[in-house]
Amino acid sequence: PNRLCPDPPGTESSEAGFGKLASIISSQSGLERQEVIRRAKRKKRALGPVSIRTSLLLLAREQNLEMGEVLRVALNDWTR
């Protein structure tokens, strides 16, 4: 499967669509989960046609998080 494809329909605007990835970013960065979601949505609006998962990954990188674990969670959530 193409790992860069958009999120499944219906998951981009609901908090359920943020899955464990938002929680991992929150715990590693010290930001509240709601703040992680807010920033990811803002980034998605600014960038245009990217998935919410992509905006979360960009946010994690901007926060200087250990990307290995973040990517494992993202890929695990995506393949479910």
Side-chain angles (χ1 to χ4, degrees):
N2 182 353
R3 301 246 185 247
L4 299 177
C5 74
D7 294 321
T11 62
E12 294 183 4
S13 60
S14 71
E15 287 191 26
F18 293 90
K20 189 175 178 184
L21 186 55
S23 297
I24 288 291
I25 294 170
S26 173
S27 66
Q28 287 188 8
S29 68
L31 296 170
E32 295 287 330
R33 188 171 191 275
Q34 285 301 111
E35 178 64 10
V36 168
I37 292 169
R38 186 191 71 77
R39 290 184 186 192
K41 285 180 177 180
R42 183 174 170 198
K43 185 166 292 303
K44 181 173 174 27
R45 280 192 307 274
L47 294 174
V50 299
S51 70
I52 197 65
R53 185 174 292 108
T54 299
S55 62
L56 283 165
L57 291 171
L58 289 169
L59 176 61
R61 183 67 186 109
E62 289 173 357
Q63 294 295 311
N64 295 315
L65 302 185
E66 170 52 47
M67 293 304 292
E69 182 178 352
V70 172
L71 287 170
R72 276 191 295 279
V73 170
L75 291 174
N76 189 38
D77 274 358
W78 188 81
T79 57
R80 288 183 187 193

